[in-house]
Amino acid sequence: MTIYDKIERTLQQLGVSDARGVESLFAELQKTAEQERAELVSRGAPDQPQRDRLCKALRDRWLARKGGVLSRVDENWLKPAGKELKPVVGRQFNDLRRWTASLEFEKLAEALPLQEAPVKQVELPLTTGAGRAVPRDLTLPGLRRPLGSVHPVTRMQREIEDIFLRLGFWIESGPEIESTYYNFDALNIPESHPSRDDWDTFYIDAKTVLRTHTSPVQIRAMEKYGAPLYIIIPGKCYRHDNPDATHYPMFHQIEGLAIDKDITFADLKGTLDFFAKMLFGEKVRTRFQPSFFPFTEPSGEVAVSCFVCDGQGCRVCKESGWIELMGCGMVHPQVLRYGGIDPDKYSGWAFGLGVDRFAMVKHDINDIQLFFQGDVRFLEQF
Ligand code: PHE
């Protein structure tokens, strides 16, 4: 119970019945008054009006006729005091009155040290979740958020896109959930082809798959735009692969497709050789080997001489001097037909490359899984 609670009760209620008890109560009051005064002096006041206000508040708390500490003591301790205690209480009360007068609360205003007014803080009405307003010091240094970076696969994709955009290609995209018609049939991939097995492909239902490559967008674009057509198609692809250092069930491809009158294999070779030099440097050479895809005829595999060792053999090219880049070929006439383009009037070439693999080669990364684990310690290196 504070002394402020005690002055609201009679001595009887407080259980005080002798002179000693009365004296200690008054001593407590005196100490409180002294403390409050000392506190005010040590705190000071920012300006004159504030100084006057603080001093008046202290004076009123103790000496106000109505509700002041002394008037409460008169009311609750002195007046109801029993015969034996009344003289003691009266004497103590008079002493206290004299003593508080000597504290000269009124004059205190002139003695109170004036402080420099503190710099006004700008308070933004920022509220916390609890709805409390939090003052903000705008002079404090700001919070720095760690800067992110472009994902290495996205960056690789953009680099490749830029080269083809310069050649006049544009960027096309298609759905990742694809029909078996576009993903297989229209690309001349027969029912019996192993890539249609559900060991290799994620089926959503018998006629719907997660696309296994970006090639179905070839057909979609032919249907949509007809010929001539110069596009690249970046995007995610999915295969039923167990993750290891070079496989992941989701990966990124960029498809290229050029269809026009009199397009030949020479155009394909020239374009891809230019592309390789733009990406890996003027010095690199390209190598075309025969291969097979149901949707191109003839088909090829493109490799580039190792840009690290210049074909001598090193870790990046696995001592072979060559780095496999992509599959390619002349668009099969049947595929042009599926796309609604007359193969007697038009011809074209296409390629498909793995963006993740390109990024791995470029940055000498030995595990494709690192790209997709979201570990910032890995990602912030790019
Ligand atoms: N779609 C083929 C694949 O995923 C790549 C490719 C595209 C080959 C275009 C030739 C032409 O392996």
Side-chain angles (χ1 to χ4, degrees):
M1 201 190 283
T2 71
I3 194 66
Y4 284 101
D5 298 319
K6 290 180 186 169
I7 59 176
E8 296 307 324
R9 290 169 168 77
T10 62
L11 293 176
Q12 203 182 359
Q13 284 168 337
L14 290 170
V16 174
S17 53
D18 59 8
R20 280 266 295 283
V22 173
E23 279 161 15
S24 84
L25 270 181
F26 275 93
E28 204 179 331
L29 268 180
Q30 189 169 332
K31 214 173 102 203
T32 307
E34 237 167 10
Q35 266 172 3
E36 288 183 8
R37 187 180 189 279
E39 214 178 283
L40 183 55
V41 171
S42 78
R43 241 189 304 137
D47 55 28
Q48 188 60 47
Q50 188 77 336
R51 181 153 89 165
D52 292 341
R53 207 180 56 72
L54 288 171
C55 293
K56 185 167 181 324
L58 183 63
R59 185 211 157 268
D60 289 349
R61 185 153 68 247
W62 287 86
L63 303 177
R65 251 176 226 286
K66 251 191 160 177
V69 173
L70 264 62
S71 90
R72 301 310 291 158
V73 169
D74 187 16
E75 199 67 30
N76 295 327
W77 291 357
L78 186 60
K79 280 185 185 151
K83 251 196 193 142
E84 328 77 73
L85 277 186
K86 202 156 210 152
V88 197
V89 179
R91 212 175 319 120
Q92 290 286 332
F93 184 63
N94 281 334
D95 285 352
L96 180 69
R97 243 205 319 229
R98 225 174 300 126
W99 181 79
T100 43
S102 77
L103 289 178
E104 297 186 309
F105 289 138
E106 288 89 346
K107 279 197 190 155
L108 192 59
E110 283 124 69
L112 217 58
L114 269 183
Q115 305 159 341
E116 288 256 340
V119 179
K120 251 218 171 109
Q121 288 200 348
V122 183
E123 284 193 12
L124 296 181
L126 175 84
T127 53
T128 62
R132 246 181 311 128
V134 178
R136 260 202 184 169
D137 182 354
L138 294 187
T139 64
L140 288 174
L143 290 177
R144 267 179 202 274
R145 294 191 186 283
L147 207 56
S149 58
V150 178
H151 193 282
V153 172
T154 306
R155 187 179 301 203
M156 191 74 243
Q157 178 183 319
R158 289 184 188 167
E159 265 180 61
I160 297 169
E161 285 171 0
D162 282 346
I163 295 170
F164 283 97
L165 287 172
R166 283 178 55 184
L167 290 172
F169 286 67
W170 79 83
I171 299 174
E172 184 61 13
S173 61
E176 288 171 31
I177 297 175
E178 187 56 281
S179 67
T180 49
Y181 173 75
Y182 284 112
N183 197 83
F184 298 124
D185 301 285
L187 288 168
N188 218 17
I189 300 175
E191 210 53 86
S192 58
H193 196 277
S195 68
R196 297 184 72 142
D197 199 306
D198 59 9
W199 282 105
D200 293 317
T201 300
F202 290 113
Y203 282 85
I204 288 176
D205 58 42
K207 292 207 161 306
T208 321
V209 297
L210 293 182
R211 68 177 178 195
T212 60
H213 50 177
T214 42
S215 302
V217 191
Q218 286 192 28
I219 308 293
R220 288 178 174 275
M222 288 183 215
E223 288 177 347
K224 203 159 135 193
Y225 305 108
L229 190 58
Y230 293 85
I231 54 170
I232 52 166
I233 307 146
K236 289 186 167 68
C237 304
Y238 304 84
R239 285 182 201 172
H240 208 303
D241 283 327
N242 282 324
D244 62 26
T246 53
H247 295 86
Y248 204 77
M250 186 280 301
F251 57 100
H252 299 80
Q253 278 194 345
I254 292 182
E255 188 91 3
L257 177 67
I259 298 173
D260 210 332
K261 288 191 169 125
D262 304 323
I263 293 279
T264 68
F265 204 91
D267 298 305
L268 167 62
K269 283 188 77 174
T271 308
L272 293 184
D273 188 74
F274 172 81
F275 163 71
K277 288 185 162 60
M278 289 299 289
L279 197 65
F280 298 109
E282 283 295 323
K283 276 200 336 212
V284 299
R285 286 150 286 132
T286 44
R287 182 188 73 182
F288 289 77
Q289 285 182 318
S291 183
F292 174 77
F293 299 102
F295 39 92
T296 47
E297 183 60 32
S299 304
E301 294 280 353
V302 190
V304 67
S305 59
C306 181
F307 60 93
V308 177
C309 64
D310 197 21
Q312 298 307 301
C314 70
R315 194 175 54 155
V316 172
C317 60
K318 300 201 188 73
E319 306 302 331
S320 73
W322 295 93
I323 297 168
E324 295 287 345
L325 288 188
M326 60 181 93
C328 66
M330 300 306 289
V331 181
H332 196 292
Q334 192 57 34
V335 171
L336 288 174
R337 261 182 225 115
Y338 273 119
I341 291 173
D342 183 352
D344 293 329
K345 285 193 192 147
Y346 291 98
S347 56
W349 56 252
F351 71 83
L353 61 83
V355 188
D356 320 87
R357 231 184 72 76
F358 268 60
M360 285 171 75
V361 167
K362 179 175 175 183
H363 299 293
D364 195 10
I365 292 161
N366 56 17
D367 191 345
I368 191 175
Q369 299 176 81
L370 286 165
F371 286 139
F372 310 121
Q373 288 163 341
D375 187 336
V376 284
R377 290 168 303 179
F378 169 73
L379 293 173
E380 71 191 1
Q381 298 173 52
F382 302 98

